[in-house]
Amino acid sequence: MATKPVFDDVQPWPEAAKPADGGMGHNRPPAEDDVKAQFREELLTAKPDFDTRLDQIEAAADRVQVTDDETLGRAGDMVRIIRATDKLVSETHTKVKAPYLTAGRVCDAEKNALTGRLAGARSKVEQHMNRYAQEKRQREIEEQRKAEEERRRLEELARENELEEALPPPPPVAARPEPVRSDGGATVSTQVDYISTVEDYSKAFRKVKDDASVREAIDKAIQRIVKATKGQTAIPGVRIDECAKALAR
């Protein structure tokens, strides 16, 4: 079923024009290559032998063996060198990324402002659409209820008068309504969703306790408790083990 256009002041969105050759920024290298070059330049300016140092660090890490307190201490020195090198990489990253980050935030702000306006407009329209769809659905349910009541009434009447032939055929199963098609090209169908509200978590848990996402959430919640209490809280069904770690400063 087609509908008449009701918003004559809103024209259909035109197809995007193809960018012409020689458009904005066509002489610049790809952004990923440009950023990579800037990062490398900044890093080597701060540490000209960075690549050599990184190769040495990786080679030394492959040779490390910790067998006593002395080798543990030397491994700690190695961790400090790695941490300092990692700090240089992070500082370079922050410096090179800063202008792009600022530009990205400005771009995001512009995009969010526009999409926010559009989201508000869409929400208003969809609220009216959903209200109508719900009212239509309620009318369908009411019609089905009345048809079923009439069916039961006639069945009872037939039993009382022993008139099997008086029974009408069962009411037909409601057909899925055809989508509404507008003259502007939109197709609008009605979908019935089901929304749950948990009223008793202990009872609902029995149904979902074997769900992988539920178990993952339980693991995380238990770990938070164990970490906060330093393993001193006994939790039924949970084994708590110590795990020693070496910290180099």
Side-chain angles (χ1 to χ4, degrees), residues 17 103 141 154 192-193:
I141 293 174
L154 293 175
V192 178
D193 289 334

Side-chain angles (χ1 to χ4, degrees), residues 18-109:
K18 295 182 179 179
D21 292 339
M24 182 178 61
H26 79 287
N27 286 326
R28 298 184 61 182
E32 57 270 24
D33 292 342
D34 192 21
V35 174
K36 184 177 180 180
Q38 290 183 46
F39 193 98
R40 293 289 301 169
E41 181 180 357
E42 185 67 31
L43 187 64
L44 296 179
T45 298
K47 199 73 172 177
D49 62 343
F50 179 84
D51 290 331
T52 301
R53 293 282 289 171
L54 181 56
D55 289 341
Q56 292 173 345
I57 287 173
E58 290 180 321
D62 289 337
R63 297 193 304 271
V64 165
Q65 291 187 9
V66 179
T67 57
D68 52 27
D69 285 354
E70 182 180 354
T71 51
L72 176 64
R74 289 204 297 267
D77 291 336
M78 190 68 199
V79 169
R80 291 183 64 191
I81 293 172
I82 295 172
R83 187 183 296 124
T85 307
D86 185 60
K87 181 181 178 182
L88 173 63
V89 172
S90 296
E91 290 174 347
T92 302
H93 169 263
T94 299
K95 185 174 181 179
V96 173
K97 186 179 179 180
Y100 295 95
L101 189 61
T102 300
R105 287 171 178 166
V106 173
C107 185
D108 288 345

Side-chain angles (χ1 to χ4, degrees), residues 178-213:
E178 288 292 325
V180 173
R181 293 178 174 83
S182 75
D183 294 335
T187 300
V188 184
S189 58
T190 301
Q191 174 180 304
V192 178
D193 289 334
Y194 298 90
I195 302 173
S196 62
T197 301
V198 178
E199 297 178 335
D200 189 322
Y201 280 90
S202 61
K203 292 180 180 179
F205 175 73
R206 300 170 192 167
K207 186 67 177 179
V208 300
K209 60 184 176 65
D210 292 328
D211 184 273
S213 296

